[in-house]
């Protein structure tokens, strides 16, 4: 799905496909250097991180293991509830392992704050994060991002894995939704 396919609900494109992919490939090079000689478990936080995870792992050249975790921090609307629910857990035991978490966005920070704590509780040797997007204006929980793609303003974005009401994750760029679309949906 491309930006022309969603013109009716989009205010503007924030990040093009090429900008996103080029940045992810830069981050992959850095991760290759930082983890040289190691075999990290790279965790995809479903569902939002899938597009970022795909691009990142394809670009990495070091050995790695893939794992997936499904967490939910949002209710049915678009404001974070702060409560984390595990929908699907990891398949690996992370005790003694180097773990790299891949996320699409840090909003309040609640999801990653909880996940880093949980992986440390499980005995991971190291836990680092790559988030494609960061919205500093909305942080309430403290999260250290070793790797990040873009710092963005406090606007409602979708695409490249991010959804609006579970749709538009397959948009190949990141765009700002028209406020009247989600305000209309909530009224
Ligand atoms: C989104 C996003 C992050 C989280 C960020 O996931 O993918 O995991 O919210 O918000 P936070 O910093 O306020 O915790 P969501 O729970 O919507 O699930 P999804 O990835 O399946 O869309």
């Amino acid at each position: 799905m491309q930006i022309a396919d969603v013109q009716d609900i989009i205010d503007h494109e924030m990040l093009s496909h090429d900008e996103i992919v080029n940045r992810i490939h830069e981050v992959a090079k850095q991760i290759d250097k930082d983890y040289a000689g190691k075999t990290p478990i790279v965790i995809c936080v479903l569902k939002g991180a899938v597009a970022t995870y795909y691009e990142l792992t394809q670009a990495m050249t070091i050995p790695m293991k893939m794992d997936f975790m499904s967490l939910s921090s949002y209710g049915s609307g678009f404001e974070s509830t702060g409560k984390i629910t595990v929908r699907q857990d990891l398949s690996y035991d992370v005790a003694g392992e180097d773990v790299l978490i891949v996320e699409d966005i840090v909003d309040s920070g609640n999801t990653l704050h909880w996940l880093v704590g949980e992986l440390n509780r499980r005995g991971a040797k190291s836990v680092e994060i790559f988030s494609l997007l960061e919205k500093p204006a909305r942080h309430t929980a403290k999260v250290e991002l070793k790797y990040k793609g873009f710092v963005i303003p406090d606007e409602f974005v979708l695409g490249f894995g991010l959804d609006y009401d579970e749709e538009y994750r397959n948009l190949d760029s990141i765009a700002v939704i028209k406020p009247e679309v989600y305000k209309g949906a909530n009224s």
Side-chain angles (χ1 to χ4, degrees):
M1 177 183 272
Q2 298 185 328
I3 200 76
D5 301 313
V6 290
Q7 280 306 319
D8 48 338
I9 62 151
I10 289 308
D11 188 78
H12 61 278
E13 188 173 65
M14 179 184 275
L15 296 164
S16 71
H17 180 79
D18 286 353
E19 282 177 287
I20 297 166
V21 170
N22 289 341
R23 179 66 192 128
I24 292 173
H25 288 189
E26 284 174 7
V27 171
K29 283 199 182 113
Q30 188 61 48
I31 289 170
D32 280 347
K33 277 192 199 142
D34 294 349
Y35 286 86
K38 298 176 178 172
T39 304
I41 296 177
V42 184
I43 296 177
C44 177
V45 183
L46 299 169
K47 304 171 202 166
V50 285
T52 300
Y53 189 81
Y54 166 79
E55 285 295 344
L56 178 80
T57 57
Q58 290 272 304
M60 285 169 60
T61 60
I62 58 163
M64 56 160 291
K65 291 178 183 166
M66 291 186 169
D67 211 344
F68 302 85
M69 195 169 196
S70 179
L71 303 174
S72 181
S73 67
Y74 286 10
S76 54
F78 60 91
E79 292 291 336
S80 176
T81 59
K83 184 177 178 301
I84 309 299
T85 307
V86 179
R87 298 188 196 118
Q88 180 193 310
D89 209 338
L90 298 171
S91 62
Y92 290 124
D93 177 0
V94 298
E97 304 285 348
D98 293 301
V99 178
L100 175 64
I101 302 167
V102 179
E103 257 289 23
D104 54 332
I105 189 164
V106 188
D107 199 341
S108 70
N110 285 330
T111 303
L112 283 171
H113 181 79
W114 180 87
L115 182 55
V116 169
E118 176 62 17
L119 295 172
N120 282 321
R121 272 190 292 280
R122 295 183 188 188
K125 184 173 165 194
S126 69
V127 180
E128 300 291 355
I129 302 167
F130 167 41
S131 182
L132 180 64
L133 305 177
E134 184 187 26
K135 257 190 201 175
R138 308 214 3 136
H139 288 1
T140 52
K142 188 167 161 43
V143 173
E144 302 273 345
L145 293 183
K146 180 151 188 189
Y147 310 99
K148 71 176 92 167
F150 304 91
V151 176
I152 63 166
D154 188 11
E155 295 179 298
F156 191 163
V157 288
L158 54 71
F160 217 81
L162 291 119
D163 70 306
Y164 168 57
D165 210 10
E166 291 298 329
E167 293 185 35
Y168 309 106
R169 293 188 196 273
N170 57 324
L171 176 64
D172 73 355
S173 61
I174 291 178
V176 178
I177 192 167
K178 285 178 184 164
E180 58 264 35
V181 172
Y182 54 84
K183 283 182 182 151
N186 282 350
S187 62

